[in-house]
Amino acid sequence: MVNEDPNQQEGDDSSSSGPEDLSVIKVSKRRWAVVLVFSCSSMCNAFQWIQYGSINNIFMNFYGVSAFAIDWLSMCYMLTYIPLLPLSWLLEKFGLRTIALTGSVLNCLGAWVKLGSLKPNLFPVTVLGQVICSVAQVFILGMPSRIASVWFGPNEVSTACSIAVLGNQLGIAIGFLVPPVLVPNIQDRDKLAYHISIMFYIIGGVATLLFILVIIVFKEKPKHPPSRAQSQKPALTSSDALSAIIRLFKNLNFVLLVISYGLNAGALYALCTLLNRMVILHYPGEEVNAGRIGLTIIIAGILGTVITGIWLDKTKTYKETTLVVYIMTLVGMVVYTFTLNLGHLWVVFITTGTMGFFMTGYLPLGFEFAVELTYPEPEAVSASLLNVCPQVFGIMFTISQDQIIGKYGAMPANIFLCVFLTLGVVLTAFIKGDLRRQKVNGKNPKNVSMWELAGQSSEFLALLRMWLHWWGPVELPEWTGFMVAVRPSQLSQTWRPKFAQWVFQHCFSAGLFQALFPLPALLLASLLWSPEDITIVTVC
């Protein structure tokens, strides 16, 4: 029997690489240092992914190669991940510390190799450095959900995963902002080589510093498991990666999530890779603003990442939140598509910022939702499968958009992405919210009948009392969120059965409406059904 500390007090930082003490559940003080160092390491790797694409035209002129060749410096990150996917499963065999060190040293090595490519005829050297960095990414991408599960308690796990993913987003943001500032668009190649060298030296120094921090800070695991789910997992999980993969592919919900996640993240990769070309196509000479637009996308996404992580930790509404964010991503992409050519940069900043808030903010949602759907399977396996799909779609979208831009322009290329994002929304709607990890952690919703809460009375008085209870003292545990549920069997007994049936099917059955607008949902349900047929589903 596990003695769980209900307050989840922080214990001594006696992290070890030996066996965990499963008799006590306690979070480690070191956990925040671990996730922050990893986040910074991921940031450095992500910066190197986009540093060429954000000033595509400048590197194209310096090396004397085509725009498509520069695009491949970004796409090699996606291409490398696919054949090297099995490397990410080494996380289960060798653990967090070994994999973090491997990813960090490769990232550092790739950064210094690029310093040997400061002449126009040395383009193959910069390709080599970028390929080394892309191999580092294989080890890095699968770690966020694993770090969150191993080091953080159930009320922190989504926030921790968001912070881990946030580093990647921040690196992309800096990759959009810094290169246009450090490397101006000048024709003198000697001066251009000097400015490029400054950027390469800075990133090499940062990568070296982060490698040292990984050596010092990273430990394999804490002394005590941080949650009941983590304490039980060693007895539940098979070490056979192939068997885990077979089981995951039999999990229809996970397969749907993999495809929908790949469509969203792949669209983001293509958008970031080709953003410089799209903006300059409509706003010539605006390389710096193109970088700032990319920065806006990612900064807004970072805000979305933090908010969604905190929201998930408090409400556990994984399915509903994922669907809402996906829908808003599609809306943002459509608006961006039809406003890019209006001739007003400030409009582009607003539309891309809105789109980025949801599109980038979706990434940690996918990681955490995958862990919930696949528990107790190894996080490294589910995360690696979740990551491989964006690489495939990212390459496909980037090449397709490149061809469409060349022949038809930016708008048809963006419409192309909108079509696939629409498909992603549909697939997400079919995912069932089977939260396996939450069931183990004992965070099941508590259902309270509106009839019980408001008192047995007429519909009007029940509604009035419910609202008075909600805005005043509520004789329930502290609520961090609530939803409204209705019994389908009572649909025919309402005063407007056809309308009630439509409302139930399109609003209440999926949980989307209640998650977004709980109070209006309560009002609508109260007008259509009797109080005893309405359940207030709370998450404490």
Side-chain angles (χ1 to χ4, degrees):
M1 188 73 179
V2 177
N3 299 319
E4 180 171 8
D5 181 358
N7 297 319
Q8 289 240 306
Q9 297 177 352
E10 295 187 352
D12 294 335
D13 186 26
S14 303
S15 306
S16 70
S17 57
E20 291 175 296
D21 182 356
L22 302 181
S23 63
V24 178
I25 293 178
K26 188 178 294 185
V27 293
S28 169
K29 295 178 181 179
R30 183 184 287 266
R31 68 193 188 281
W32 295 111
V34 170
V35 75
L36 287 175
V37 169
F38 169 79
S39 186
C40 291
S41 183
S42 179
M43 174 189 70
C44 182
N45 183 259
F47 174 90
Q48 298 194 74
W49 167 61
I50 203 64
Q51 67 178 344
Y52 295 99
S54 61
I55 47 175
N56 181 293
N57 58 321
I58 295 176
F59 276 108
M60 183 177 67
N61 294 331
F62 178 74
Y63 288 114
V65 296
S66 66
F68 191 59
I70 300 299
D71 290 341
W72 269 109
L73 290 175
S74 295
M75 286 192 289
C76 75
Y77 263 60
M78 310 173 204
L79 183 63
T80 303
Y81 191 91
I82 299 171
L84 296 182
L85 174 63
L87 291 180
S88 60
W89 303 333
L90 296 177
L91 180 60
E92 289 298 322
K93 182 175 182 180
F94 295 103
L96 283 172
R97 177 176 169 81
T98 300
I99 298 303
L101 286 171
T102 303
S104 184
V105 72
L106 287 173
N107 191 56
C108 179
L109 176 62
W112 287 108
V113 166
K114 293 176 186 178
L115 277 165
S117 66
L118 295 175
K119 292 183 179 181
N121 63 331
L122 294 177
F123 181 70
V125 178
T126 210
V127 171
L128 174 62
Q130 191 73 341
V131 169
I132 294 174
C133 292
S134 70
V135 176
Q137 177 212 214
V138 177
F139 295 94
I140 292 172
L141 280 185
M143 294 183 66
S145 55
R146 175 71 172 173
I147 291 174
S149 296
V150 170
W151 284 90
F152 289 84
N155 293 326
E156 301 171 331
V157 66
S158 295
T159 301
C161 186
S162 296
I163 293 174
V165 175
L166 184 147
N168 185 275
Q169 300 170 12
L170 187 60
I172 299 173
I174 298 173
F176 275 117
L177 177 66
V178 173
V181 175
L182 293 179
V183 185
N185 189 5
I186 55 179
Q187 298 301 317
D188 190 323
R189 289 189 172 182
D190 290 335
K191 292 183 179 179
L192 196 56
Y194 169 74
H195 290 290
I196 293 174
S197 70
I198 292 176
M199 180 174 67
F200 285 170
Y201 271 115
I202 291 175
I203 193 64
V206 171
T208 303
L209 175 62
L210 288 171
F211 173 57
I212 295 172
L213 287 176
V214 169
I215 295 175
I216 297 172
V217 173
F218 247 84
K219 300 296 180 184
E220 173 55 33
K221 56 189 175 184
K223 181 178 180 180
H224 306 289
S227 66
R228 182 181 290 111
Q230 191 62 30
S231 69
Q232 295 180 9
K233 191 170 181 182
L236 294 172
T237 302
S238 169
S239 59
D240 186 353
L242 182 59
S243 299
I245 294 170
I246 294 173
R247 290 193 297 270
L248 289 176
F249 276 113
K250 291 180 179 179
N251 185 335
L252 179 60
N253 292 321
F254 177 69
V255 172
L256 291 174
L257 179 63
V258 166
I259 298 173
S260 59
Y261 181 90
L263 291 170
N264 188 300
L268 176 64
Y269 294 166
L271 188 69
C272 291
T273 300
L274 300 172
L275 183 65
N276 175 270
R277 289 179 60 190
M278 287 191 181
V279 172
I280 292 178
L281 186 65
H282 293 288
Y283 305 92
E286 294 287 355
E287 289 88 359
V288 174
N289 274 323
R292 290 171 180 168
I293 290 171
L295 174 68
T296 302
I297 292 174
I298 304 304
I299 292 297
I302 289 173
L303 180 61
T305 295
V306 174
I307 292 175
T308 53
I310 295 173
W311 171 260
L312 286 182
D313 275 333
K314 292 200 173 285
T315 67
K316 311 302 180 186
T317 53
Y318 290 86
K319 161 66 184 292
E320 296 81 8
T321 306
T322 301
L323 183 57
V324 170
V325 171
Y326 216 127
I327 291 173
M328 295 308 298
T329 296
L330 174 60
V331 172
M333 186 67 200
V334 171
V335 174
Y336 163 73
T337 298
F338 291 98
T339 56
L340 179 61
N341 61 351
L342 293 182
H344 302 290
L345 272 172
W346 64 270
V347 174
V348 180
F349 274 97
I350 293 175
T351 56
T352 53
T354 303
M355 175 182 63
F357 179 89
F358 295 102
M359 180 177 276
T360 311
Y362 170 84
L363 301 182
L365 286 176
F367 274 106
E368 281 302 291
F369 199 13
V371 174
E372 292 293 339
L373 294 175
T374 61
Y375 180 87
E377 303 296 350
E379 293 91 347
V381 178
S382 62
S384 62
L385 293 176
L386 199 66
N387 277 319
V388 75
C389 212
Q391 317 307 324
V392 175
F393 283 121
I395 293 174
M396 185 183 79
F397 291 163
T398 303
I399 294 176
S400 300
Q401 277 202 298
D402 178 81
Q403 298 300 314
I404 296 173
I405 291 172
K407 294 181 180 180
Y408 305 106
M411 182 178 290
N414 287 326
I415 292 175
F416 171 82
L417 288 185
C418 291
V419 172
F420 282 96
L421 287 175
T422 302
L423 175 60
V425 169
V426 174
L427 294 177
T428 301
F430 283 101
I431 300 174
K432 295 181 180 179
D434 181 17
L435 307 184
R436 300 178 180 181
R437 183 175 62 180
Q438 293 306 316
K439 293 176 182 178
V440 175
N441 282 328
K443 299 296 290 186
N444 295 325
K446 297 181 179 179
N447 300 337
V448 182
S449 169
M450 181 176 172
W451 181 273
E452 297 171 353
L453 183 64
Q456 297 184 10
S457 57
S458 67
E459 285 85 346
F460 175 78
L461 290 178
L463 175 63
L464 178 62
R465 290 180 183 179
M466 178 64 206
W467 278 84
L468 290 176
H469 271 292
W470 180 253
W471 291 111
V474 180
E475 297 178 1
L476 286 173
E478 293 184 4
W479 290 7
T480 57
F482 82 98
M483 291 172 56
V484 183
V486 181
R487 286 190 292 172
S489 61
Q490 302 298 324
L491 293 175
S492 60
Q493 300 180 19
T494 184
W495 59 282
R496 295 194 64 184
K498 291 185 178 180
F499 179 64
Q501 181 75 31
W502 186 93
V503 170
F504 180 82
Q505 290 179 346
H506 292 83
C507 296
F508 286 88
S509 61
L512 172 62
F513 180 66
Q514 307 97 293
L516 272 180
F517 311 108
L519 292 179
L522 174 61
L523 176 61
L524 179 59
S526 301
L527 293 175
L528 289 175
W529 291 281
S530 299
E532 63 268 26
D533 301 325
I534 301 171
T535 301
I536 311 300
V537 182
T538 65
V539 181
C540 303

